[in-house]
Amino acid sequence: AVLYVPCDAAALAVGADRVADTLAEELSARGVDAQIVRNGSRGMHWLEPLVEVETERGRIAYGPVTPADIAGLLDTGLLEGADHALCHGLTEEMPFLKRQTRLTFSRCGITDPLSLEHYEAHHGFLGLKRSLEMTPAEIVQEVTDSGLRGRGGAGFPTGIKWNTVLKAQGDQKYIVCNADEGDSGTFSDRMIMEGDPFVLIEGMAIAGIAVGATKGYIYTRSEYPHAIAILHDAIQIARKAGILGPSVMGSEHAFDMEVREGAGAYVCGEETSLLNSLEGKRGIVRAKPPLPAIEGLFGKPTVVNNVMSLASVPIIMDRGARFYRDYGVGYSHGTIPIQLTGNIKNSGLFETAFGLTLNELIYDIGGGTLSGRPVKAVQVGGPLGAYFPPSLFDTIFDYEAFVERNGMIGHAGIVVFDDTVDMLKQARFAMEFCAIESCGKCTPCRIGSVRGVEVLDRIARGDQPEQQVELLTDLCDTMKMGSLCALGGFAPYPVMSSLTHFPQDFHVKPLTDA
Ligand code: NAI
Ligand code: SF4
């Protein structure tokens, strides 16, 4: 029999290692010859540790499993996929998975993350192989035609970025993968790095061949120790197999990469700050221009892409631009791995084509709040994303639709709050977060965020709230327009959306023109 117990950090955090150990002990005590594969996560976090067993009918899921459940599960026929209180039937038929369109995450949770054999058996390296038969310009064109946009948050067209680097002059070019994933409520980068690292390696190799870069760096945070360990191993395996190195899969292209750890500063997820940190300097933002695409790492032309953008490239190159482009709505093509967190029943990762409404995501897929209380607000796009009230839950997941409503999808994290949340406190948190994480380079952010906290504290004390709200609005405008990077520039979004949609929490009358 083949059993699966995830090695993803979210599963480990709730005891997956102990479950795997107990399972191994029980199986050997019963003299059963079974293999335990440590797979990535399927992304149904409320069911972790999710144990699966391979049967003739397909894989059957059980969860959440604790070590104390193992003996009972084996007694009732776990190895045959027998029914049990923890059994969810065929994994692929579970509604949360069945409703998804898994392109980027097609292998995650299915394979052993470090098995090249598994990777190749599930369409691995087909995108790279096809790329090796194309010219760099053709690869860039294919990515451009796919409509893929930067999944880190800004949504800039990936192909256009690659084209700038392809055309830039430089004796050395780099591919930098932004794996800093600082947004609250997001974990898609981590999940793919832990659950399917070869897809990121393949995506980076394709990027390297496309723009003429021979060296790649994955910049991630020290809070991701499991991802770092898996990436180190995966890179070594890929090198040994001739996927990375002086001749990528026997071609004339050279490409190699390494992993670098940051110390967890939020601003190091901003691309220029990240580049400074990668160069061993303080993580402080650089003014743009020059764009990193022209003068990036060590002053050389550099592609800086988020993990999700790079991990989406192999399937685009394998199935073609048209295949990918046909998913989605408007100018948001393809799929997006949405991360549902906070006060929500079904928390986890849901990859789907753009176009679902917040209502569908929060209620139909997420199952509403975990507390059972009414939803009061959701924050989309990290700590600097806007808060949306239920009256805006008809907004569809699409870059432009969110911008139209003064929000952003960012890295696609949705954090749900029930009616016990105090939006004034959430607004204060945003300003405080900005004050703590500010790199200090520009005044609107460095000073503005501190003043913002003070103003919000005065509102909380009931000290001339109407006047303070006016001051806050003015301050937010200054930060939005005058900040050098997105940290100071976006901090006003959670603040102003809280104030606009929940004026009662600020003890003021509704704003009319905000
Ligand atoms: P941006 O709009 O300034 O730039 C987007 C990207 O396009 C950059 O890589 C930039 O260098 C590139 N670019 C622009 N014009 C180009 C051209 N002509 N040729 C080539 N490249 C070009 O946005 P920024 O500041 O990079 O990112 C802000 C976003 O980051 C926010 O929207 C937010 O959602 C997101 N974010 C994500 C986090 C995460 O954890 N993933 C954390 C914090 C923020
Ligand atoms: Fe630094 Fe804040 Fe200015 Fe960004 S907005 S450059 S984080 S001070």
Side-chain angles (χ1 to χ4, degrees):
V2 183
L3 292 142
Y4 296 84
V5 183
C7 63
D8 176 278
L12 296 179
V14 287
D17 271 348
R18 280 183 291 121
V19 167
D21 291 347
T22 311
L23 194 53
E25 283 160 22
E26 271 293 328
L27 288 167
S28 104
R30 291 169 191 235
V32 180
D33 184 24
Q35 187 197 355
I36 300 175
V37 175
R38 302 303 302 268
N39 56 334
S41 171
R42 295 274 197 166
M44 296 181 284
H45 289 167
W46 77 101
L47 295 177
E48 293 289 7
L50 185 88
V51 174
E52 288 177 87
V53 61
E54 191 101 57
T55 72
E56 278 175 6
R57 287 172 288 150
R59 273 156 75 161
I60 311 273
Y62 298 83
V65 175
T66 66
D69 297 320
I70 304 280
L73 275 165
L74 285 168
D75 289 343
T76 45
L78 170 73
L79 299 178
E80 291 77 44
D83 202 12
H84 184 276
L86 295 177
C87 181
H88 303 282
L90 287 167
T91 319
E92 301 289 343
E93 294 297 320
M94 293 171 71
F96 191 85
L97 270 183
K98 201 161 187 204
R99 292 187 65 176
Q100 299 189 41
T101 304
R102 287 207 164 199
L103 304 185
T104 308
F105 279 80
S106 64
R107 274 171 300 262
C108 193
I110 294 176
T111 53
D112 171 347
L114 289 174
S115 164
L116 269 185
E117 207 184 322
H118 281 198
Y119 188 70
E120 297 201 73
H122 291 83
H123 308 279
F125 299 124
L126 295 183
L128 178 57
K129 281 181 192 148
R130 184 165 164 251
S131 303
L132 286 170
E133 290 160 9
M134 296 164 79
T135 65
E138 283 168 349
I139 304 173
V140 171
Q141 192 59 47
E142 189 86 19
V143 173
T144 308
D145 292 345
S146 76
L148 177 66
R149 292 169 67 177
R151 297 283 188 255
F156 187 83
T158 307
I160 295 179
K161 187 184 282 188
W162 287 18
N163 197 41
T164 311
V165 180
L166 171 65
K167 297 225 167 100
Q169 297 299 318
D171 51 352
Q172 173 73 53
K173 295 179 184 177
Y174 296 104
I175 306 298
V176 171
C177 170
N178 185 344
D180 197 56
E181 197 163 58
D183 272 5
S184 44
T186 66
F187 43 81
S188 57
D189 296 352
R190 182 189 58 68
M191 256 183 76
I192 209 88
M193 291 190 286
E194 292 174 356
D196 193 18
F198 293 125
V199 79
L200 177 59
I201 292 172
E202 183 180 352
M204 286 178 71
I206 296 171
I209 293 162
V211 303
T214 52
K215 182 84 205 234
Y217 292 93
I218 300 173
Y219 182 92
T220 190
R221 46 184 48 233
S222 50
E223 290 96 328
Y224 278 1
H226 305 97
I228 292 166
I230 289 180
L231 284 170
H232 275 304
D233 289 350
I235 290 170
Q236 244 172 24
I237 292 168
R239 224 176 256 149
K240 260 199 202 139
I243 310 260
L244 295 175
S247 162
V248 173
M249 290 190 130
S251 71
E252 76 280 15
H253 296 283
F255 190 75
D256 211 336
M257 62 171 82
E258 51 187 278
V259 181
R260 289 293 169 89
E261 273 176 60
Y266 182 74
V267 78
C268 285
E270 194 284 330
E271 58 178 1
T272 61
S273 192
L274 184 156
L275 293 174
N276 274 338
S277 175
L278 206 48
E279 289 178 10
K281 300 174 185 149
R282 190 176 146 200
I284 196 164
V285 174
R286 299 177 187 170
K288 291 192 282 193
L291 286 167
I294 310 283
E295 272 180 52
L297 188 63
F298 303 114
K300 305 292 182 190
T302 304
V303 167
V304 186
N305 275 156
N306 176 253
V307 175
M308 284 301 111
S309 316
L310 290 162
S312 301
V313 167
I315 193 156
I316 292 170
M317 295 312 297
D318 173 22
R319 307 290 297 270
R322 186 67 197 273
F323 165 81
Y324 192 79
R325 191 184 181 85
D326 282 350
Y327 290 100
V329 285
Y331 297 109
S332 302
H333 297 282
T335 58
I336 175 102
I338 295 167
Q339 298 127 90
L340 299 167
T341 54
N343 194 338
I344 190 159
K345 236 181 241 153
N346 304 337
S347 60
L349 181 128
F350 191 90
E351 182 177 353
T352 182
F354 285 92
L356 289 187
T357 64
L358 279 176
N359 264 323
E360 289 170 293
L361 288 162
I362 297 159
Y363 297 110
D364 301 351
I365 290 153
T369 60
L370 184 62
S371 63
R373 301 182 67 92
V375 178
K376 177 166 174 177
V378 297
Q379 188 178 30
V380 184
L384 309 178
Y387 288 98
F388 276 24
S391 60
L392 294 182
F393 287 1
D394 60 343
T395 311
I396 58 165
F397 229 78
D398 159 70
Y399 290 103
E400 280 66 38
F402 266 74
V403 170
E404 254 172 49
R405 291 184 162 179
N406 289 321
M408 59 168 180
I409 64 174
H411 194 43
I414 300 182
V415 184
V416 180
F417 297 85
D418 74 10
D419 60 351
T420 58
V421 69
D422 178 344
M423 297 309 293
L424 175 58
K425 283 195 182 143
Q426 295 305 112
R428 186 191 191 278
F429 171 73
M431 281 294 187
E432 190 189 18
F433 178 83
C434 183
I436 292 169
E437 297 291 342
S438 170
C439 85
K441 179 143 176 165
C442 68
T443 317
C445 166
R446 186 185 67 245
I447 309 279
S449 55
V450 177
R451 293 287 96 87
V453 173
E454 293 165 0
V455 170
L456 285 158
D457 280 344
R458 283 201 286 275
I459 296 174
R461 285 200 304 269
D463 180 358
Q464 301 175 309
E466 307 279 344
Q467 251 174 301
Q468 298 304 323
V469 161
E470 212 174 299
L471 197 57
L472 184 67
T473 310
D474 193 44
L475 176 67
C476 281
D477 269 350
T478 307
M479 289 176 70
K480 212 165 135 182
M481 309 311 289
S483 294
L484 188 58
C485 86
L487 180 46
F490 279 118
Y493 283 78
V495 177
M496 289 311 290
S497 55
S498 298
L499 180 57
T500 308
H501 305 305
F502 308 95
Q504 67 281 9
D505 286 10
F506 290 70
H507 322 294
V508 291
K509 286 199 276 311
L511 299 187
T512 47
D513 58 348

